[in-house]
């Protein structure tokens, strides 16, 4: 009998552990990000940066998040020593922080509705569903800061709502000091944590009243303790002083550190709602995210549950606290923040999850009574209603899996790594800030690929890069940053060529051919077998004087009968970005045309053409060469 009682005491705890294990085994583990991030979805913007920073002990974008970086970088180092890959380890830290948050949330929920077997089961079910919501699920499986922030918020709620063991004035003061310390750490990590202050003041109001005349001194001490949460910012200064890789901004200077601390670059998102239409649009934006994450049915159930929680004396204080926490975060987001900020979204959704708990705690015992003692029809109706509601909510939440898997398995940015590998020795490679930039940075600084290449983004010093030597960029860069942008950044006229496939070389001096004549010519050609393509290299030479019109390029692979079986035509040289009318007289430009390796190709024909006013095409020059490169299939 004693043994059975001991086992029964452990069942609620095991129920919570089972919920976390199920989330991990069936949801988090299959969607954990194990490759350098390639997704450009707004939720994934900074993931690639975080993957690098945690591996090299760098610093993140403003506001820096130094405590998160220090702790998570230490975990990444430990994970890698036991064989976990450099790409997966940062996401694994998010899972670890999230598990701690959900575990503490389960403990708090059990405390709020009772530690009985039923209470444990309802808390476990609520935590399980909360773990399936889109934002919570996603941030458990990617390298981001938000499960760490969620953990700090849950800790604050635990301290504020857990029944005190010491009810003396001194005990209340210690509880206030604990709140101040954790609150300072939370605000130091992310300023969005400040949205919980009204809720925490409400929850801690009895402890403040107990201080009597000592209240002013206690408040001053609380403020002082809260400032300790800013001490981790010394990490940014230390890493800048050490010359560490991937140090964002200039935290080694006072102005740079202040910019990092205040997040000045994100100021454009704050206070941007200036009209009723803008307010309505922002409200739709934030509300749509919440409805997508929890499903409309889930949000409705949560709101009903919060109302029930307020009415019940046993949960009123907790319900009002989480309503304040979530509503302040939601209203601030709607009124003052014009981008989607996961820290505020998660705070609002955490409060809604508590609504699920209050709803379950109210309805399940009553449903049990009906099932046990009611008539047949009501019993069947209650069972169908309960199972149907749980099933509908579960189905809506589980549907997030495919969306999340698509984000975490996106390999688009990996195409950038071959460009890094192909860059000229000791060159500068410019890739705009984003997933592709981070993929190249991950390969260079984490995996050690081409450390001789200097990697810059679109905010880098183009003039200094040109003075150092060769500058290259992927050809798709010009869709966003055309040649005019490069010339403005360099303060000089620039010239393009392509020495390597998909890479454009930028120079501040043209290459002039001594053989330039009165018409455009191909001064040289060649090709190499490279993977699935023949990389046809052609040196075009502009005439003297320059051409009065632009020509397009044709590059055709022919079979033995002269049929075109593959082609790599371009509207202008250098992937269409360098029309002939921009060229200097006598300029020689090397260009590369990746031509598919197709079985049966025996000859390559290439040249220039233009389109007449009547729509017909006229070839200007035409050349041919035999092909001896075997097809890829062979």
């Amino acid at each position: 009998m004693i043994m059975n009682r001991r086992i029964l005491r452990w069942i609620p705890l095991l129920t919570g552990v089972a919920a976390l294990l199920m989330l991990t085994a069936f949801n988090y583990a299959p969607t954990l990000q194990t490759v350098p991030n390639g997704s450009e979805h707004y939720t994934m913007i900074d993931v690639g940066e975080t993957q690098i920073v945690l591996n090299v002990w760098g610093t993140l974008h403003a506001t820096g998040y130094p405590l998160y970086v220090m702790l998570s970088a230490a975990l990444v180092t430990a994970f890698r020593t036991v064989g976990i890959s450099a790409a997966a380890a940062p996401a694994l830290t998010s899972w670890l922080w999230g598990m701690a948050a959900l575990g503490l949330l389960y403990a708090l929920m059990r405390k709020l509705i009772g530690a009985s077997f039923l209470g444990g089961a309802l808390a476990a079910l609520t935590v399980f569903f909360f773990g399936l919501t889109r934002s919570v699920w996603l941030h458990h499986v990617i390298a981001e800061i938000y499960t760490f922030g969620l953990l700090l918020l849950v800790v604050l709620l635990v301290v504020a709502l857990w029944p005190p063991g010491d009810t003396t004035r001194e005990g209340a003061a210690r509880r206030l000091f604990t709140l101040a310390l954790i609150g300072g750490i939370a605000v130091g990590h992310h300023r969005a944590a400040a949205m919980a202050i009204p809720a925490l003041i409400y929850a801690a109001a009895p402890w403040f009243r107990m201080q009597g005349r000592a209240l002013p001194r206690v408040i001053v001490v609380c403020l002082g303790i809260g400032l300790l949460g800013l001490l981790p910012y010394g990490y940014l200064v230390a890493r800048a002083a050490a010359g560490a890789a991937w140090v964002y901004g200039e935290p080694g200077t006072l102005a740079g550190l202040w910019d990092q601390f205040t997040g000045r670059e994100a100021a454009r998102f704050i206070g941007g709602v200036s009209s009723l239409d803008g307010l309505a649009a922002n409200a739709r934006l934030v509300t749509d995210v919440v409805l997508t994450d929890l499903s409309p049915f889930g949000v409705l159930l949560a709101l009903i549950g919060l109302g029930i929680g307020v009415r019940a004396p046993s949960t009123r204080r907790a319900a009002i606290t989480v309503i304040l926490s979530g509503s302040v975060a939601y209203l601030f987001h709607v009124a003052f923040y014009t981008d989607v900020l996961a820290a505020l979204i998660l705070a609002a959704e955490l409060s809604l999850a508590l609504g699920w708990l209050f709803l379950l705690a109210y309805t399940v015992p009553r449903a049990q009574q009906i099932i046990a003692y009611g008539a047949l029809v009501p019993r069947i109706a209650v069972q169908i209603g309960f199972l149907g509601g749980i099933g509908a909510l579960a189905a809506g939440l589980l549907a997030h899996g495919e969306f999340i898997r698509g984000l975490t398995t996106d390999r688009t940015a990996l195409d950038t790594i071959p460009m890094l590998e192909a860059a000229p020795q000791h060159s500068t490679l410019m890739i705009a800030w984003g997933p592709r930039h981070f993929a190249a940075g991950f390969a260079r600084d984490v995996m050690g690929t081409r450390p001789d290449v200097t990697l810059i983004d679109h905010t880098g010093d183009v003039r200094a890069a040109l003075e150092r030597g060769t500058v290259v960029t992927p050809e798709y860069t010009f869709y966003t940053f055309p040649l005019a942008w490069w010339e403005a950044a360099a303060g000089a006229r620039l010239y393009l060529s392509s020495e390597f496939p998909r890479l454009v070389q930028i120079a501040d001096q043209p290459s002039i051919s001594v053989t330039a004549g009165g018409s455009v010519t191909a001064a040289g050609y060649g090709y190499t077998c490279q993977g699935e393509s023949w990389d046809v290299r052609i040196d075009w030479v502009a005439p003297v004087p320059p051409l009065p019109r632009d020509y397009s390029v044709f590059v055709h692979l022919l079979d033995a009968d002269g049929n075109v079986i593959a082609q790599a035509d371009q509207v202008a040289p250098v992937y269409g970005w360098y029309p002939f009318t921009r060229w200097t007289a006598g300029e020689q430009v090397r260009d590369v045309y990746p031509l598919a390796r197709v079985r049966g190709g025996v000859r390559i024909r290439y040249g220039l053409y233009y389109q007449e006013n009547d729509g017909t095409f006229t070839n200007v020059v035409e050349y041919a060469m035999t092909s001896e490169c075997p097809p890829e299939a062979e």
Side-chain angles (χ1 to χ4, degrees):
M1 180 67 70
I2 294 175
M3 182 62 68
N4 289 339
R5 290 177 180 175
R6 289 178 178 174
I7 293 174
L8 288 174
R9 283 201 298 267
W10 280 97
I11 287 178
L13 175 61
L14 294 176
T15 304
V17 172
L20 299 184
L21 290 177
M22 288 177 62
L23 281 170
T24 296
F26 298 110
N27 305 103
Y28 296 161
T31 55
L32 188 78
Q33 190 167 36
T34 59
V35 296
N37 177 56
S39 173
E40 295 186 354
H41 190 268
Y42 74 86
T43 58
M44 308 290 286
I45 290 173
D46 301 317
V47 171
E49 177 196 11
T50 308
Q51 288 177 316
I52 299 170
V53 165
L54 297 189
N55 273 283
V56 303
W57 290 80
T59 71
L60 285 172
H61 60 279
T63 59
Y65 318 104
L67 181 61
Y68 162 81
V69 170
M70 288 188 288
L71 296 177
S72 297
L75 286 173
V76 166
T77 301
F79 290 152
R80 292 188 64 183
T81 61
V82 296
I84 297 173
S85 73
L92 199 56
T93 68
S94 295
W95 169 84
L96 191 61
W97 301 128
M99 285 292 102
L102 295 181
L104 279 176
L105 182 61
Y106 169 75
L108 176 61
M109 287 180 173
R110 279 193 62 206
K111 183 62 67 172
L112 292 178
I113 64 171
S116 65
F117 173 79
L118 179 61
L122 297 182
L125 183 62
T126 304
V127 166
F128 181 76
F129 280 150
F130 181 57
L132 290 179
T133 59
R134 189 182 67 167
S135 289
V136 175
W137 184 344
L138 176 62
H139 288 293
H140 271 77
V141 298
I142 61 175
E144 258 290 10
I145 66 169
Y146 295 109
T147 54
F148 188 75
L150 180 63
L151 172 59
L152 292 173
L153 179 56
V154 172
V155 171
L156 285 170
L157 292 176
V158 167
V159 174
L161 298 177
W162 202 275
D166 185 351
T167 58
T168 64
R169 183 176 66 82
E170 291 76 12
R174 285 192 293 270
R175 185 68 71 95
L176 291 173
F177 297 154
T178 303
L179 270 181
L181 177 61
I182 300 170
I185 292 172
V187 173
H189 168 66
H190 201 297
R191 307 301 172 266
M195 299 302 105
I197 291 176
L200 297 175
I201 290 176
Y202 166 80
W207 307 334
F208 282 113
R209 288 195 294 268
M210 291 175 65
Q211 303 310 307
R213 294 181 179 179
L215 181 59
R217 179 180 62 83
V218 169
I219 292 176
V220 171
V221 173
C222 285
L223 292 174
I225 292 174
L227 290 175
L228 295 177
L230 305 182
L231 291 179
Y233 274 88
Y235 169 80
L236 274 62
V237 179
R239 296 307 286 161
W246 287 89
V247 171
Y248 190 92
E250 298 179 343
T253 67
L254 187 59
L257 180 63
W258 181 249
D259 284 346
Q260 288 293 92
F261 175 75
T262 59
R264 182 176 59 86
E265 64 185 36
R268 66 186 185 278
F269 298 126
I270 300 176
V273 181
S274 57
S275 66
L276 288 177
D277 289 342
L279 184 64
N282 211 41
R284 285 193 298 271
L285 171 68
V286 179
T287 304
D288 284 348
V289 172
V290 175
L291 291 174
T292 300
D293 284 1
L294 276 67
S295 80
F297 181 59
V299 172
L300 176 62
L301 293 180
L303 294 175
I304 294 172
L306 288 173
I308 291 172
V310 171
R311 291 188 60 187
S314 61
T315 57
R316 181 173 297 139
R317 175 168 168 268
I320 293 175
T321 298
V322 298
I323 287 172
L324 283 172
S325 174
S327 60
V328 170
Y330 173 82
L331 292 173
F332 179 87
H333 203 323
V334 167
F336 299 106
Y337 201 88
T338 56
D339 193 19
V340 176
L341 183 59
L344 296 173
I345 296 292
L346 287 172
E349 293 178 355
L350 175 61
S351 298
L352 292 171
L354 268 294
W356 289 342
L357 177 72
F358 300 143
L359 179 62
L360 287 172
Y362 178 82
T363 58
V364 169
R366 289 161 176 80
Q368 285 182 314
Q369 291 179 348
I370 295 174
I371 292 171
Y373 304 110
L376 179 61
V377 172
R379 289 195 337 240
I380 294 175
V382 167
Q383 289 173 323
I384 292 175
F386 182 77
L387 293 177
I390 292 294
L393 182 58
L397 298 178
L398 287 169
H400 296 316
E402 286 305 310
F403 168 77
I404 293 171
R405 186 177 291 105
L407 298 184
T408 59
T409 59
D410 190 327
R411 303 176 68 87
T412 302
L414 295 179
D415 295 339
T416 308
I417 296 177
M419 296 184 183
L420 172 69
E421 295 170 336
Q425 287 286 326
H426 305 290
S427 62
T428 296
L429 174 62
M430 193 293 258
I431 304 177
W433 186 265
R436 290 183 173 87
H437 180 90
F438 299 140
F442 188 91
R444 188 193 67 168
D445 294 325
V446 177
M447 306 309 296
T449 303
R450 296 299 307 275
D452 62 295
V453 175
T454 300
L455 181 64
I456 64 173
D457 64 17
H458 61 283
T459 65
D461 190 333
V462 174
R463 180 72 259 168
L466 289 167
E467 292 172 355
R468 284 195 302 268
T470 304
V471 177
V472 293
T473 191
E475 54 87 14
Y476 55 72
T477 299
F478 289 86
Y479 285 106
T480 306
F481 301 98
L483 183 55
W485 177 90
W486 286 87
E487 291 181 330
R493 181 176 179 179
L494 299 179
Y495 307 86
L496 304 183
S497 62
S498 180
E499 294 278 350
F500 303 93
R502 316 311 301 182
L503 282 177
V504 176
Q505 181 171 327
I506 299 100
D508 55 4
Q509 295 295 328
S511 175
I512 302 299
S513 173
V514 296
T515 62
S519 63
V520 66
T521 59
Y525 63 86
Y527 61 85
T528 58
C529 302
Q530 184 72 28
E532 298 179 354
S533 69
W534 290 336
D535 296 332
V536 181
R537 288 174 168 81
I538 304 172
D539 291 341
W540 299 112
V541 178
V544 180
L547 289 172
R549 69 185 305 167
D550 287 320
Y551 296 146
S552 297
V553 182
F554 66 87
V555 180
H556 297 162
L557 177 64
L558 309 179
D559 62 13
D561 297 325
N563 299 312
V564 177
I565 59 176
Q567 61 188 60
D569 296 6
Q570 293 180 9
V571 68
V574 192
Y575 304 103
W577 300 115
Y578 200 42
F580 279 102
T581 50
R582 277 195 56 98
W583 294 23
T584 299
E587 184 175 353
Q588 179 171 322
V589 174
R590 171 158 292 185
D591 210 358
V592 180
Y593 302 87
L595 191 63
R597 293 170 67 178
V598 179
R599 186 182 299 276
V602 298
R603 191 160 58 98
I604 296 174
R605 181 177 64 196
Y606 63 97
L608 303 174
Y609 70 94
Y610 66 91
Q611 188 172 16
E612 302 281 4
N613 292 333
D614 61 3
T616 60
F617 296 95
T618 299
N619 286 355
V620 179
V621 293
E622 181 176 329
Y623 303 90
M625 58 179 167
T626 60
S627 168
E628 299 178 359
C629 188
E632 178 71 8
E634 298 179 358

